[in-house]
Amino acid sequence: MKKLSVFWLCLLTILVSSCKENEQELVTVKIIPEPETMVVGQGSFEITSASTFYAPPTFKIATHFLQDYLASGAGIGLTEASESASDIVFAQDTTIAAEGYSLSISEENIKIKAADAAGAFYAVQTIRQLLPPDLERLNSMPKTSVNIPQLQITDAPKFAYRGMHLDVSRHFFPKEFVKKYISYLAMLKMNRFHWHLTDDQGWRIEIKEYPLLTEHAAYRNETLIGHYNTQPQQFDGQRYGGYYTQEDVQEIVAYAETLNVTIIPEIEMPGHAQAAVSAYPELGCTGTEVPVATKWGVFENIYCPNQKTFAFLKNTLAEVMALFPGEYIHIGGDEAPKTQWKTCSHCQQLISKHNLKDEQGLQSWFIKEIETFVNSKGKKIIGWDEILEGGLAPNATIMSWRGTEGAVEAANAGHDVILTPTSHAYFDYYQDDHPDEPLAIGGFLPLKKVFEFNPIPTELTGDARNHVLGAQGNIWTEYITTEAQVEYMAFPRMLAMAEVVWSGPAENNEEAYPMFLSKVVQFMERLEVLGVNYANHLYDLKGAVVKENGTIFYTLTSPVSGDKISYRINGAAEKTYETPIPITTTTTLTAQVFKNGKKVGRAFSENIQFHKGLKATITMNVSPHAAYSAGGEAALLNGISGSDTRYGDGEWLGFWGDDLEITITLNEPTTITEIGTRLYHAPGQWIHAPNGASITAKTARGSSHTNSIYKEITNSETLIPFKFKFPETGLRDVTSITLKIPNVGIIPEGQQGAGNKAWTFIDEIVIE
Ligand code: TNX
């Protein structure tokens, strides 16, 4: 059968019937991540137990996977045959890009070409997605045959490093789950698993030379309950822990190899080391005993740069390097408070002996020592972007998490970089602003934002762009206690990250995102069969205030449409949503999506406060930080307050280190009695509300009235109200208002994020 593109097929069928039906049938070929080119034909190829395959021996990870998959999912046993007699033929073609492949499925056969084993393996992962999802179930009903659509695909990844990370220190996940997680990466053509094995709250890998790491450092006495910011902090009183033996690690490494996944183990230094220091106090600067940490955050008990520490780290790394065949070892390097180094005479002697500038210089010297050792064993280091401070180790690769500045600096200096900025890659952040979401660390990273991520920072030009190896989604597990919850946070965001790192960012997100969502809807069937506890917010409603010709409207949409949206205003009779709803008074709106007569998605509810600022215009001295500017300046005057728990929900605006000056011009002279807003205060996330703010109101009469507020800020409150009151009868004829909110500056020692600029987050400005 001749292969036909969708276009030609439609043209052919257009005379007979509408081509819509055919089109729908054909576009059900939906693959995540999107292949580079795909031409879908008509008809299919049948795989049966009589089918045969041939492959060069170097492609065995691909053929083993295919054989196992068909055998366990469909009871179909493929047999090996000669190249000329085979139905499924793999061939090596060195002109194809690394990890790329071509796949041609005709009525007669399946032909796969790749330059390397990885490419052949990814062709098989594409075949997997072309087969019915019920094959994902182990020992599902045996079948005599499965059909696979005829098509032609050429495909190759945009980025060489396509990763996911998992923190097993804050919460421990057993070997079987780690393997499952790795299998999810492979299904999505991701090839790097960053395994965060050590941290303050638990050491998770057996090191034969240091038995106390697993006897002692792998266990903590108890764990914080609820959110870190909730005061008073409470603990569960339960001993918690676990670790992987070296045999477990070998098993996981061997398993990952069969899926073309390279594991990057992370051994944190010099900070996030309290568990190790707890087992061996001589590794710290004070020598005193400390417990394995029982709550989250940054701790001052870091490694001391002494002989014992270097011997410990080198012996430990030697055992680690022997277990992991990959070229990289991640040495951490993030969030290491230098408090103890400042008062330790040995550290100060080192600083003067090696002519170092300060403690940052000492950290840099520390990392260079380790790098020399790792390089001497033929491996390379990756470090978090803090290792740039005080001077970069000569051969280090940087993992940029505090934004993208670190990546830009390192790439411009000729170093390789991996992008994992909190704004687009932290899957421990909330993915939705619905109040029913499980407790998370904070932040807000919806699916669309991950999809819109571009791993190459816009500031990078020319050759420096080639230093971007790729990107990675991170799953930190302070608030992720179960396997089901890891899956909930990972899916579907990992699907979007897979698109970004394999297919590259879309040229036009507004067009590409709905297409992606239609693929996600279909992919969820596969996740369902796999038993993955994915989050489904595709039918959850989102509302928006729209201003047109002085009238305020409210619109309702869900990422994927159902059949109808029902809504109620202030408890009145239910209506069907058709056009934007005019808002003329303070309104409580509830709504629900229906599909096939059934409720789909979660119940929606919104309060719209009809205050005097809704028709005003707003300007600011600085733009909100790109990572937290979802709603734009208009979000501060749209009648909708930000979430009490999600400062990144699009209603809050975030600024990094800027003093704010906000000017509001009212649409007509107005009498004002009160102006109020809220500032977010979450020092754990580097967000600080200032002690003071001021407001100046100008009237049509030319007078100017300034009102200042001073507040004691305590860490027990996250929502800090600022209310500026005018005399009861109000200030008449106000035409404009200027609100000044200073940033608190650099975060002081002893606090999370010390030495970094603080964030300011501001909510709706309510004018009454
Ligand atoms: C910062 S990312 C950390 C981790 C936390 C994470 C929580 C990085 C290098 N350090 O220790 O788990 O934030 O989002």
Side-chain angles (χ1 to χ4, degrees), residues 423-503:
S423 58
H424 293 79
Y426 271 45
F427 296 177
D428 57 334
Y429 287 9
Y430 284 106
Q431 58 190 308
D432 196 83
D433 53 8
H434 198 280
D436 286 353
E437 280 299 291
L439 179 73
I441 193 163
F444 186 56
L445 178 54
L447 181 62
K448 186 164 190 237
K449 199 163 173 183
V450 182
F451 185 79
E452 288 171 355
F453 180 41
N454 182 354
I456 302 186
T458 44
E459 300 91 325
L460 277 186
T461 52
D463 285 349
R465 297 164 68 95
N466 298 332
H467 282 296
V468 177
L469 301 183
Q472 160 183 300
N474 288 347
I475 301 220
W476 299 101
T477 58
E478 289 93 331
Y479 298 91
I480 302 178
T481 56
T482 63
E483 296 171 11
Q485 209 185 338
V486 172
E487 295 181 348
Y488 185 86
M489 300 308 268
F491 289 99
R493 288 184 285 192
M494 200 169 143
L495 306 181
M497 187 57 89
E499 292 282 351
V500 163
V501 290
W502 178 275
S503 318

Side-chain angles (χ1 to χ4, degrees), residues 547 552 609-618 634 636-639 664-667 670 672 674-675 737 764-768:
K547 301 181 191 181
I552 314 289
Q609 197 175 352
F610 201 78
H611 63 78
K612 291 174 179 168
L614 283 196
K615 294 180 183 172
T617 51
I618 181 167
L636 299 185
L637 286 179
N638 66 356
I664 296 168
T665 310
L666 293 154
N667 63 324
T670 308
I672 286 175
E674 188 179 298
I675 299 170
I737 296 153
E764 181 77 5
I765 301 170
V766 179
I767 304 175
E768 293 185 294

Side-chain angles (χ1 to χ4, degrees), residues 85-106:
S86 286
D87 305 306
I88 304 172
V89 179
F90 290 81
Q92 187 160 29
D93 177 348
T94 51
T95 64
I96 290 178
E99 297 187 277
Y101 64 93
S102 74
L103 170 66
S104 164
I105 305 175
S106 69

